[in-house]
Amino acid sequence: MDCLDRTNVVQSELARLALEWQLRSSHVIEQTESVSSFPLLRQMLNNVWADNADTVSCAYSGTGALKTDFTRTGKRTYMGALRDGRNSVERYVRGNFFDGERQDSIDLLLGAYRVQASRPFAQTLSSEARALVGTIYVCLFMLAYAFFYPRNHSWFGISNVAFVGAWCGVLCLVFCVVRAKHTAELVNWPRLVAHPMRPQVIKTNASIKLPIVDRWLEPSAQSVRPSGKKFA
């Protein structure tokens, strides 16, 4: 049963009601008493359901569940909201760039893929996509170098600002090319079993619009936009 995030909050309340009914029916507690009358029992119940949510969520999405602060304490907290934000960002990164191998392992364990004498994990990225990824790493390395070892020992010196600006320009150009041609190609797809929604996802990704970013990068994006090429 999918039981994490909001679903877990609701089901933890249903579990509390069910436990109260069982305890009353067994005459363990009085009809006027509830789980909340026993702080240690309520805390144990909350922690069991919060830990269940985290465990299921780690297998399902690679991070802990959201809103577990409410499940554990009965109220939302600032730290819980920050933790949810971090988990949401981590889920996005994992889901787009690291989830293919997880799905491959599930398909292999469940028998959805039959082992063959082939190379299913051969590199599927085009040479241009691999070059773009390598360029991104180089840009990030050079920007980090400029931060930790600024030219002339000054972050805001003319030479250091020009150096950072040049590499930021290269990074923006790479971003434009990726947005125009390789958005869906760089997603970490499963390789053992063909994903039935992959063509539709690629078509959808190609039509995504980011108004502010697209308006700002429109001249550059037009210069690198492919001429009628589409990925299958």
Side-chain angles (χ1 to χ4, degrees):
M1 179 66 180
D2 179 2
C3 184
L4 55 147
D5 302 346
R6 292 160 295 184
T7 314
N8 185 74
V9 173
V10 175
Q11 291 196 7
S12 64
E13 288 301 308
L14 296 177
R16 179 184 61 80
L17 295 174
L19 179 60
E20 288 179 352
W21 179 82
Q22 291 172 346
L23 294 177
R24 289 168 184 164
S25 300
S26 303
H27 303 289
V28 176
I29 63 176
E30 300 295 335
Q31 294 297 322
T32 57
E33 293 179 319
S34 65
V35 171
S36 300
S37 304
F38 306 90
L40 290 179
L41 178 61
R42 180 58 190 265
Q43 182 180 3
M44 182 185 300
L45 179 66
N46 291 346
N47 287 334
V48 164
W49 278 94
D51 292 342
N52 171 73
D54 285 336
T55 301
V56 175
S57 181
C58 283
Y60 183 76
S61 63
T63 71
L66 308 183
K67 299 178 176 63
T68 51
D69 58 324
F70 184 83
T71 305
R72 293 184 190 277
T73 65
K75 60 181 180 180
R76 292 287 283 163
T77 62
Y78 289 111
M79 289 303 299
L82 291 175
R83 192 181 304 113
D84 287 353
R86 184 200 65 187
N87 286 341
S88 297
V89 172
E90 187 174 351
R91 284 183 181 184
Y92 177 84
V93 174
R94 286 179 178 272
N96 282 282
F97 304 110
F98 301 99
D99 196 61
E101 288 78 7
R102 184 205 307 272
Q103 185 61 47
D104 285 333
S105 64
I106 293 174
D107 291 334
L108 189 61
L109 290 173
L110 296 181
Y113 173 78
R114 299 197 174 197
V115 178
Q116 304 172 0
S118 61
R119 298 181 59 191
F121 297 106
Q123 180 61 255
T124 58
L125 290 180
S126 63
S127 299
E128 182 177 339
R130 292 199 298 271
L132 290 171
V133 172
T135 304
I136 290 174
Y137 284 127
V138 171
C139 290
L140 294 178
F141 173 80
M142 298 306 292
L143 291 175
Y145 181 85
F147 179 80
F148 290 106
Y149 302 99
R151 301 171 69 86
N152 297 328
H153 306 286
S154 175
W155 283 339
F156 302 104
I158 296 178
S159 59
N160 197 63
V161 171
F163 181 82
V164 171
W167 284 107
C168 285
V170 174
L171 193 60
C172 289
L173 180 61
V174 172
F175 174 78
C176 292
V177 177
V178 170
R179 276 276 295 140
K181 299 174 60 177
H182 301 282
T183 305
E185 185 184 4
L186 293 177
V187 172
N188 188 227
W189 292 94
R191 300 186 186 182
L192 295 183
V193 179
H195 196 288
M197 292 298 294
R198 180 168 183 172
Q200 184 63 33
V201 170
I202 290 180
K203 181 179 179 181
T204 302
N205 284 346
S207 64
I208 291 176
K209 299 297 182 183
L210 301 175
I212 298 178
V213 177
D214 287 345
R215 191 182 305 115
W216 181 54
L217 297 175
E218 187 67 26
S220 300
Q222 289 179 352
S223 64
V224 297
R225 194 170 301 280
S227 55
K229 269 191 176 178
K230 292 187 177 179
F231 291 98

